[in-house]
């Protein structure tokens, strides 16, 4: 069976590709720009397709590449864009458009295009990676949060539309893996309001992915993998 992982060039997407290959899956991964980590995925046999979701028609080449794979059974929407909201209103509009294309328009196009292929496989599923902050206001990240919330809504709509042939679920990560630019003070502030009081790492997300892959009676579900962080922010 084949899986698609978008945003495979680093962090979670890279890790999911590794785990899927180790589990016996054929994997196609999409990436926006070339990165050293991609050489490792190529060495594992991952089919890599360059796709800039922030551009009009950025998914077209990826859809074309996947059309050759009749064994497609899993899609993981991991590609994401993230940055604080710009102060300039004109730049805010540009940010929103970019986040919308990456978090909503690209998954929408991929789900519609790939649904017929997925429906031919037993227990096929789609997983959208969203964020716990879709349930909380965050003015400094308004465009990011709004479009991630839109991705959640899309997933719920597709769960109804594509049933019973294809299951659609979401995973809502919390403080899984801090970015390099996150300072110690900020990290401690976040962890102080996280009941499990530690960074989660990538393995808990893979565990949630496996659950959603294997449990054939789950669709329209959302799993929070956040160490309890949502208890403090929602």
């Amino acid at each position: 069976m084949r899986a698609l992982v978008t945003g495979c060039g680093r962090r979670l997407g890279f890790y999911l590709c590794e785990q899927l290959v180790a589990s016996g899956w054929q994997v196609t991964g999409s990436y926006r720009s070339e990165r050293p980590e991609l050489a490792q995925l190529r060495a594992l046999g991952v089919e890599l397709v360059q796709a800039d979701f922030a551009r009009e028609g950025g998914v077209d080449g990826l859809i074309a590449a996947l059309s050759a794979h009749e064994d497609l059974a899993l899609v993981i929407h991991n590609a994401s864009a993230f940055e604080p909201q710009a102060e300039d209103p004109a730049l805010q509009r540009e940010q929103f458009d970019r986040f919308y294309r990456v978090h909503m328009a690209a998954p929408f196009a991929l789900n519609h295009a790939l649904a017929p292929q997925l429906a031919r496989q037993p227990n096929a599923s789609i997983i959208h990676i969203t964020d716990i902050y879709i349930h909380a206001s965050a003015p400094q990240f308004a465009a990011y949060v709004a479009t991630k919330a839109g991705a959640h809504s899309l997933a719920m709509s597709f769960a109804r539309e594509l049933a019973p042939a294809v299951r659609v679920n979401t995973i809502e990560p919390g403080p899984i893996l801090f970015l390099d630019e996150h300072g110690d003070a900020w990290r401690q502030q976040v962890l102080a309001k996280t009941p499990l009081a530690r960074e989660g790492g990538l393995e808990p997300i893979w565990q949630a992915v496996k659950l959603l892959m294997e449990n054939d009676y789950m669709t329209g579900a959302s799993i929070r993998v956040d160490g309890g962080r949502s208890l403090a922010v929602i």
Side-chain angles (χ1 to χ4, degrees), residues 48-135:
L48 296 176
V49 181
Q50 194 280 330
D52 186 352
F53 292 171
R55 295 181 178 273
E56 182 74 30
V59 300
D60 294 348
L62 179 58
I63 291 170
L66 288 164
S67 66
H69 298 304
E70 292 298 322
D71 58 345
L72 183 68
L74 173 66
V75 172
I76 302 178
H77 292 295
N78 170 70
S80 185
F82 177 80
E83 61 189 23
Q85 184 159 288
E87 294 183 7
D88 186 333
L91 293 178
Q92 289 179 13
R93 291 191 293 271
E94 291 179 9
Q95 284 181 318
F96 186 87
D97 183 64
R98 183 168 68 256
F99 293 164
Y100 164 76
R101 289 185 184 279
V102 174
H103 299 153
M104 297 179 65
F108 180 85
L110 286 165
N111 285 359
H112 270 299
L114 301 177
Q117 285 173 252
L118 290 165
R120 289 192 284 269
Q121 302 300 327
N123 197 29
S125 69
I126 297 170
I127 300 171
H128 290 248
I129 307 295
T130 61
D131 195 295
I132 59 168
Y133 277 92
I134 66 174
H135 305 289

Side-chain angles (χ1 to χ4, degrees), residues 5-8 10 12-14 16 76-80 127 129 148:
V5 179
T6 68
C8 72
R10 61 195 292 263
L12 179 58
F14 177 87
L16 292 177
I76 302 178
H77 292 295
N78 170 70
S80 185
I127 300 171
I129 307 295
K148 280 289 190 176

Side-chain angles (χ1 to χ4, degrees), residues 8-215:
C8 72
R10 61 195 292 263
R11 294 170 61 88
L12 179 58
F14 177 87
Y15 184 80
L16 292 177
C17 286
E18 285 189 312
Q19 299 307 308
L20 286 164
V21 169
S23 299
W25 284 75
Q26 300 296 312
V27 179
T28 296
S30 75
Y31 67 97
R32 184 177 64 85
S33 55
E34 193 67 33
R35 304 181 60 88
E37 294 92 332
L38 295 178
Q40 299 176 51
L41 295 183
R42 291 189 178 99
L44 291 175
V46 175
E47 176 189 51
L48 296 176
V49 181
Q50 194 280 330
D52 186 352
F53 292 171
R55 295 181 178 273
E56 182 74 30
V59 300
D60 294 348
L62 179 58
I63 291 170
L66 288 164
S67 66
H69 298 304
E70 292 298 322
D71 58 345
L72 183 68
L74 173 66
V75 172
I76 302 178
H77 292 295
N78 170 70
S80 185
F82 177 80
E83 61 189 23
Q85 184 159 288
E87 294 183 7
D88 186 333
L91 293 178
Q92 289 179 13
R93 291 191 293 271
E94 291 179 9
Q95 284 181 318
F96 186 87
D97 183 64
R98 183 168 68 256
F99 293 164
Y100 164 76
R101 289 185 184 279
V102 174
H103 299 153
M104 297 179 65
F108 180 85
L110 286 165
N111 285 359
H112 270 299
L114 301 177
Q117 285 173 252
L118 290 165
R120 289 192 284 269
Q121 302 300 327
N123 197 29
S125 69
I126 297 170
I127 300 171
H128 290 248
I129 307 295
T130 61
D131 195 295
I132 59 168
Y133 277 92
I134 66 174
H135 305 289
S137 60
Q140 68 273 38
F141 303 110
Y144 169 82
V145 172
T147 53
K148 280 289 190 176
H152 171 84
S153 181
L154 277 178
M156 298 303 103
S157 295
F158 276 113
R160 296 192 65 178
E161 177 182 345
L162 301 183
V166 181
R167 299 182 299 106
V168 185
N169 298 287
T170 75
I171 295 172
E172 301 173 11
I176 294 300
L177 189 63
F178 289 116
L179 298 171
D180 293 340
E181 58 265 31
H182 290 149
D184 288 340
W186 190 88
R187 297 180 188 209
Q188 292 306 314
Q189 179 182 344
V190 169
L191 295 181
K193 294 183 178 180
T194 302
L196 294 188
R198 57 183 170 84
E199 189 178 28
L202 300 177
E203 177 63 17
I205 301 294
W206 170 238
Q207 292 171 352
V209 167
K210 287 193 294 183
L211 170 64
L212 294 177
M213 287 165 53
E214 296 168 1
N215 190 318

